[in-house]
Amino acid sequence: MSELKTWKVKRVDRTDVRDFIEKYHYSKSINGCIADYCYALYNTGGVMVGAMFYGRLAMANQYKRFSDSIEDVIELRRLCCIDDTPKNTESYFIGKSLRLLNKDWGGKIVVSYSDMEYSHSGTIYKASNFKQLESVKGAKVIISNGKRYHDKSIRTYHNGKLKPFALRLREQLDAGVAYYKKTKGKNTFVYCLS
């Protein structure tokens, strides 16, 4: 832990963490994710060794599980670190980012999920003082070229037109190259900011 104390967490732009997350996060993608608050973890040498972002909840009205106001709820959408980091790096990173988020954002509740599809039980969230709630049932995802995409990816628009990756996914589904898969579900965790 003593080495970790010299590491810095900084708020950064989405473009600063995109490639890192797409390389090290198990999903290999940030497509379709809202990234309102992005943070990076830098070791003593100034090298990025972790990245995460928080963003508005993905599905409409999902916030009602946690609050009466959509403005009070945000989700920890992506979190990853390189493999060669000291013990407790992820919980250290989460703790530092939560303190920064508390200053940067005016809301109250942080939500995160551990993906049972990948045997993630949420140990990092428990170690970071998140409270575990009930699990969420599995959803359909699209598998294309070894990557997972949320079902809503094929309905992603920009300026009234489908985004290019949404068009490609639709074409791949029609051609039988991509396919739907039912997932196992996710564990739900919440953290209340002071």
Side-chain angles (χ1 to χ4, degrees):
M1 186 68 162
S2 59
E3 180 184 357
L4 282 175
K5 289 181 181 178
T6 65
W7 292 12
K8 303 291 182 208
V9 176
K10 297 179 185 173
R11 185 171 176 192
V12 295
D13 291 328
R14 178 186 175 106
T15 54
D16 296 326
V17 296
R18 180 185 58 231
D19 291 345
F20 186 96
I21 291 172
E22 290 186 345
K23 180 176 182 180
Y24 293 106
H25 192 266
Y26 67 88
S27 70
K28 304 295 184 202
S29 175
I30 65 170
N31 279 335
C33 287
I34 299 164
D36 296 309
Y37 301 93
C38 302
Y39 299 96
L41 174 65
Y42 297 93
N43 66 16
T44 309
V47 176
M48 185 187 298
V49 294
M52 71 167 68
F53 61 81
Y54 298 86
R56 286 164 278 152
L57 300 173
M59 295 188 298
N61 298 321
Q62 186 181 11
Y63 74 91
K64 292 179 181 177
R65 287 182 61 205
F66 313 105
S67 175
D68 293 333
S69 172
I70 194 170
E71 302 301 322
D72 283 341
V73 185
I74 200 164
E75 182 180 343
L76 173 49
R77 303 294 303 271
R78 294 285 189 272
L79 163 66
C80 59
C81 294
I82 63 171
D83 288 335
D84 188 22
T85 55
K87 185 178 178 183
N88 302 321
T89 296
E90 291 89 353
S91 55
Y92 172 84
F93 188 16
I94 290 172
K96 290 287 189 181
S97 74
L98 287 171
R99 285 190 274 290
L100 290 171
L101 182 68
N102 197 27
K103 294 175 185 174
D104 297 339
W105 174 62
K108 299 175 184 172
I109 299 169
V110 179
V111 177
S112 196
Y113 300 94
S114 64
D115 198 333
M116 290 185 276
E117 188 76 12
Y118 291 90
S119 301
H120 294 170
S121 64
T123 303
I124 295 166
Y125 302 123
K126 293 172 192 171
S128 300
N129 296 317
F130 279 68
K131 179 182 174 187
Q132 186 170 357
L133 302 180
E134 73 281 355
S135 298
V136 176
K137 290 192 305 185
K140 283 194 316 184
V141 294
I142 299 168
I143 306 295
S144 171
N145 295 322
K147 286 188 175 182
R148 287 173 27 147
Y149 297 89
H150 194 282
D151 179 47
K152 71 178 182 154
S153 297
I154 61 172
R155 298 179 300 279
T156 306
Y157 289 85
H158 180 70
N159 292 332
K161 294 182 179 180
L162 279 172
K163 286 189 171 185
F165 82 88
L167 287 170
R168 279 193 304 276
L169 278 177
R170 284 181 178 210
E171 290 168 0
Q172 290 172 352
L173 283 167
D174 290 342
V177 178
Y179 58 94
Y180 285 100
K181 179 184 176 189
K182 178 83 171 165
T183 63
K184 293 181 180 177
K186 297 180 180 183
N187 294 311
T188 306
F189 296 87
V190 296
Y191 183 91
C192 296
L193 295 170
S194 55

